[in-house]
Amino acid sequence: NIPFWYLVNDKTPPLKHVWAFTINPITGDLFEYAVQLSCIVGVLLSLAATKTMSSKRLEFFRESSSGYNVNAYFIAVNILSIFEHGLQSMLAGIVTHILRCPISSLAGHLLNFFLLSWQCAAWGHLFSLIVPEQNLTLACGLFMLIFNLLCCGVMSPVLYRDIYDKNWLAVICGFFSPARWFVETLVVSEARCLPEQYGFTRSIQISQDNPTDYYYSAFNFIHVAQMDIENATKRSCDGWSFGHLSAFLVGAAVRWTSGLLIHVSDRRKQCKKNIREELFKNGKTLIEVTLSIFVLIGLYAACVWSILWR
């Protein structure tokens, strides 16, 4: 509702002040809904992913000490996790799609949920390797809840305005908070499906006649899709996929980190030598570890590039 003062004032109020009262009712509820979803689904999926590895630790130690391939075990765990937790997240997406009836496409909606599970399960695997089992649930749950709430860009102390203005903050939020990509993708996907009169999108003809008119989109007033504003303002109900690459790369980098740590953690329980002795005595192992570290550095560099992609 626009205040009465704006309607009776002789001086024409700035357009951005009028838009603020018309846009907030549209996006406010959507932001709240997306944050709630990311926190609930994200925490549950990450905790479920910790059980995938922690429940089989004794079997893993026995098989590793018997000479079984650790990489094969870790790849099998990840394949199982992708199918299991991906299916769980997509079922949650179908339920929310039925209950809320969003105007964007179902395929884009489900892909957003799948990428949320891809990141959350990766963090669950990492925590199961670095945190003792008795503290695993508390540590992983708090991590996901805190970063999904405080670094999603919707509420203080970190807002989308700050994320797009400060590169270091963008990297921290983009890497540690799965909700940062999930919430923005969900909101932009819904908003860019609205008709032009809502202020978010432009028709194809207007886009051709005024190629720089996207700077006056309502997306700029809620500070989302700032790195892809030209495409976000083109009306489409097929969703918004700009953040998908960053979400995928972050999940891949975290999983690769877990794949390296599984060779280092609890080596005594695997009846193996110290990692330093193994590296100096076995040249093949040293080469494999060196290549793996270079791949890890490349993945992290790709994450930073995708997060700060202009």
Side-chain angles (χ1 to χ4, degrees):
N1 296 325
I2 301 177
F4 181 72
W5 180 84
Y6 282 104
L7 301 177
V8 300
N9 187 25
D10 293 335
K11 298 180 180 179
T12 303
L15 179 60
K16 65 178 182 180
H17 292 166
V18 178
W19 264 10
F21 291 102
T22 57
I23 294 172
N24 287 338
I26 299 173
T27 58
D29 177 63
L30 192 56
F31 273 122
E32 182 180 353
Y33 161 73
V35 172
Q36 291 173 351
L37 269 183
S38 64
C39 290
I40 296 172
V41 177
V43 170
L44 292 177
L45 286 174
S46 62
L47 293 180
T50 61
K51 299 298 181 182
T52 304
M53 295 190 68
S54 62
S55 62
K56 302 293 183 181
R57 292 293 280 173
L58 293 178
E59 291 87 340
F60 166 68
F61 292 147
R62 183 184 67 239
E63 294 178 359
S64 177
S65 61
S66 300
Y68 284 88
N69 194 315
V70 176
N71 291 329
Y73 167 81
F74 185 74
I75 292 173
V77 168
N78 275 271
I79 292 175
L80 174 64
S81 174
I82 291 172
F83 282 100
E84 179 182 1
H85 303 122
L87 179 61
Q88 292 171 350
S89 66
M90 294 176 73
L91 288 176
I94 292 174
V95 172
T96 57
H97 196 276
I98 294 174
L99 294 177
R100 189 174 177 87
C101 299
I103 56 178
S104 59
S105 67
L106 176 61
H109 191 70
L110 295 182
L111 181 58
N112 195 23
F113 271 84
F114 176 80
L115 288 173
L116 178 66
S117 72
W118 169 261
Q119 296 178 86
C120 293
W123 284 109
H125 293 161
L126 180 63
F127 270 88
S128 65
L129 294 172
I130 62 177
V131 178
E133 189 173 356
Q134 60 270 23
N135 302 323
L136 182 57
T137 301
L138 179 62
C140 186
L142 281 178
F143 173 85
M144 295 303 301
L145 186 61
I146 290 173
F147 276 96
N148 278 353
L149 277 176
L150 300 184
C151 296
C152 64
V154 177
M155 59 187 69
S156 297
V158 181
L159 301 174
Y160 280 114
R161 181 192 302 109
D162 306 318
I163 292 175
Y164 282 110
D165 287 344
K166 302 173 183 177
N167 289 340
W168 64 270
L169 192 59
V171 172
I172 292 176
C173 295
F175 191 82
F176 292 104
S177 176
R180 184 262 178 272
W181 305 111
F182 176 82
V183 173
E184 185 177 27
T185 300
L186 193 149
V187 172
V188 175
S189 296
E190 289 292 293
R192 74 188 299 240
C193 191
L194 294 171
E196 291 81 2
Q197 59 264 32
Y198 284 88
F200 291 96
T201 57
R202 304 169 296 152
S203 64
I204 297 178
Q205 184 61 43
I206 294 177
S207 301
Q208 295 174 350
D209 296 340
N210 302 280
T212 61
D213 198 41
Y214 51 81
Y215 290 112
Y216 302 99
S217 168
F219 285 122
N220 293 319
F221 291 91
I222 58 176
H223 304 283
V224 297
Q226 296 301 286
M227 292 191 294
D228 193 43
I229 191 68
E230 184 176 0
N231 291 323
T233 53
K234 296 177 181 178
R235 189 185 179 193
S236 172
C237 293
D238 295 331
W240 184 66
S241 60
F242 182 80
H244 291 349
L245 177 61
S246 298
F248 175 79
L249 289 175
V250 168
V254 176
R255 288 173 189 269
W256 195 271
T257 304
S258 301
L260 291 178
L261 287 177
I262 198 172
H263 291 275
V264 179
S265 62
D266 296 319
R267 289 187 66 85
R268 289 184 179 179
K269 296 181 180 180
Q270 301 177 43
C271 300
K272 292 185 177 181
K273 299 178 182 179
N274 185 282
I275 188 65
R276 292 182 180 179
E277 297 180 9
E278 188 73 23
L279 290 176
F280 286 115
K281 292 183 179 181
N282 192 332
K284 181 181 178 181
T285 303
L286 179 61
I287 294 175
E288 291 176 352
V289 171
T290 303
L291 291 176
S292 299
I293 292 176
F294 276 114
V295 173
L296 182 65
I297 294 173
L299 284 173
Y300 279 101
C303 289
V304 174
W305 169 79
S306 65
I307 292 172
L308 302 180
W309 188 10
R310 293 292 188 269

